[in-house]
Amino acid sequence: PIPVTYALVAGGGGGAPSGPGASGGGGGAGGYRSGTQNFTGGITYTVTIGAAGPAGASGNPTTLSSPDISTITATAGGFGARGTTGTPGGSGGGGGVGNAGGTGTPGQGYNGGAGGPANGGGGGGGAGQVGQAGDLSGGNSGGDGGYGVTVSLTGTPTNVAGGGGGGAAGGGTGNYTPSPTNGGGYGGGVGHNTSGPPPTINASTNSGAGGGGGGTYSGTSGSGGAGGSGVGFLSVPTSLYTGTYSPAPAVSVTVNGSNTVMKFTATGT
């Protein structure tokens, strides 16, 4: 057998668009799975990368499969809500105003945060932390998305699977600034301080992060952000690596110490 270390991240859920007086919850991160699986020489193994969820929709699962193993699945991220409970997923979507966040999948991600009682949407859950609630004091701020996790198999730390921030109302804030500490959950709702529609905050490609919830300003509604597509990693002892993979654009190969690591940004084998 060939011992292979894997890390799989599903597609993140989209944030909810806002409506009059109701900011949207942030999208939940895609589920995160990691471990070691024995491979057998001469058999093809497929990593299927989950697509991102658009605004108001869940992401898609990322899987590792072959004829000789049970399929390993990272569960799609749940989408943020407006006016309802967040959707369950790998990590749960943030709740709409006055509603609970969605539940995460044990071992893969955390629950989304609840929406605030007045305006702020709940933050989406991340692979490393629950999403934060919208402003519980009755203010306008959205909840921060939950932290993600860091994958270091290539030797270069990669932050993945952070939750999207909840949408805010005019003058409030959301977790929308990229930061290594939020695991790549670059999505985040934001309340505008000037005229015009609040910006749409999409998560980064191949981050598995949740999209930002839509904010509101003076009755102007904002769109929810899209989640980030998934990503996968396989680390194989270089002495046992055959050098066979496809397609090349979807799979990049690096050497880290005594292991050869394949990074899948799209479906490949």
Side-chain angles (χ1 to χ4, degrees), residues 43-227:
I43 293 178
T44 297
Y45 296 83
T46 301
V47 177
T48 302
I49 299 300
S58 294
N60 291 273
T62 290
T63 62
L64 170 61
S65 62
S66 81
D68 73 326
I69 64 171
S70 297
T71 299
I72 299 168
T73 302
T75 304
F79 60 90
R82 186 190 78 212
T84 60
T85 300
T87 306
S91 288
V97 171
N99 288 270
T103 55
T105 301
Q108 297 193 34
Y110 287 83
N111 296 350
N119 290 311
Q129 183 193 39
V130 298
Q132 303 304 297
D135 196 331
L136 296 177
S137 68
N140 294 328
S141 296
D144 288 349
Y147 291 165
V149 295
T150 300
V151 178
S152 299
L153 292 177
T154 64
T156 301
T158 302
N159 296 320
V160 295
T173 59
N175 178 21
Y176 61 95
T177 302
S179 165
T181 60
N182 73 2
Y186 299 164
V190 56
H192 235 14
N193 288 314
T194 57
S195 60
T200 299
I201 309 296
N202 300 315
S204 302
T205 302
N206 296 125
S207 68
T216 61
Y217 177 81
S218 296
T220 301
S221 299
S223 300

